[in-house]
Amino acid sequence: MRRDRISRLADRRRLYTNETYDQARSQLNPGQPPIPAPPGEQRNFEAELFYRLLYSHHFTQYPFGIRRVRPGTDSITLEVESEQRAEEILNRILPAQEPDGEVHGIPAVRVRRRTQNGIEVHQCGRRTSAWLTGLPAYVWKRVEAACLDTLADIAWRPLWKGPAEWTDEEALSEQHWNTGEWMRHFQDGAWSGSGLLRRLAVLHTVVPADAVTGYKGLPIRGYDGMGPVRWCLDLCHRTGIRYRKEELVDALTDAEFGLPVAIARHLDRIYPQHTMKNWVRLDDQARTGLIELRFCTFNYPELRVGTAGAKDRAIAEGIQARVDIALASD
């Protein structure tokens, strides 16, 4: 590729990933999309990771506590912003078993490698990989130990400390919950969850929101059968801050860097535009993935830099700084 084109692609990719210029440039490969789509097992794994990341009980400086992402062809790196968020993430993805037999987390996920830069998690027997970085090695070790302490306190069994293969309990849980029509439905739309995870930074580089929360929603009217996998994202701004809806939609629908989605105009007859003023729904032509962007205004007392408590002050200041950067592009 010509030097000027490489530079343009690297700069544009940073909008979606928040990588450094050198990081973004190193991931560009001739003949490949600037943000590649992963193969099937990795795509499904990333969609499951995205589902688990959506839930957070704390304010974070970056949406869902991820400072930047580095999507590769067959792996993804997530730079976690804090020790607290790292512990929350591991508690949600590493499998553990209740005394009554119920399994929580993602079945068969194990920590495969530990380096000075972070840890790699994967799913046994499948071509999957996700690196969790952003904290020193000793902190990741401490986070793992904290997860084990949490499980010990509630008498749960840490399956992720077991063999590097599926346990009987995980196989039974997978068979019970993750097969059949529901799993086919989720995997048909897994490209949307994986695609959002690989472009997570647009939720703070493009949008000046104080907080972004989300969940996987139930089906809605306007589709046949179970409809698409529905990702609901709430983007909350403080008073007086412009939403930048059009800019976010442009980024997510960009032909080169975005996802294969467009505004779901076919839903207008069911949900008139005047009733959905601050909501935007994007779906694909095959109707397998639906992204619901819901913009709102709310002033969180905890995020006022001048009045935030000691616990929230650093987060409030960090949020204000990134909002100012996003607004500087206006």
Side-chain angles (χ1 to χ4, degrees), residues 1 32 60 70 89 106 139 162 175 198 277 283 301 314:
M1 288 185 284
Q32 296 294 323
T60 54
R70 296 194 66 196
I89 290 171
I106 305 176
V139 175
Q175 178 65 31
R198 288 177 164 244
K277 182 178 180 181
D283 66 3

Side-chain angles (χ1 to χ4, degrees), residues 149-161:
D149 288 344
T150 298
L151 296 179
D153 289 342
I154 57 178
W156 287 17
R157 178 186 167 202
L159 299 175
W160 56 278
K161 295 299 287 185

Side-chain angles (χ1 to χ4, degrees), residues 252-300:
L252 290 175
T253 59
D254 183 84
E256 193 169 26
F257 284 87
L259 293 167
V261 294
I263 296 178
R265 299 292 187 196
H266 63 96
L267 296 177
D268 289 350
R269 67 182 185 277
I270 303 172
Y271 309 97
Q273 292 186 39
H274 71 275
T275 67
M276 310 290 292
K277 182 178 180 181
N278 293 320
W279 288 29
V280 181
R281 286 178 171 142
L282 309 171
D283 66 3
D284 63 312
Q285 191 170 14
R287 309 292 190 246
T288 58
L290 173 64
I291 301 167
E292 194 168 276
L293 306 171
R294 309 191 300 198
F295 297 81
C296 63
T297 295
F298 185 79
N299 297 307
Y300 290 102

Side-chain angles (χ1 to χ4, degrees), residues 168-185:
D168 291 342
E169 294 85 357
E170 289 169 310
L172 286 172
S173 179
E174 179 82 353
Q175 178 65 31
H176 181 71
W177 296 109
N178 297 335
T179 57
E181 184 181 4
W182 184 91
M183 180 50 67
R184 288 192 295 272
H185 172 257

Side-chain angles (χ1 to χ4, degrees), residues 218-223 225-228 230 267 271 281 290 292:
L218 297 172
I220 61 173
R221 291 182 299 147
Y223 297 95
M226 296 179 69
R230 176 176 166 233
L267 296 177
Y271 309 97
R281 286 178 171 142
L290 173 64
E292 194 168 276

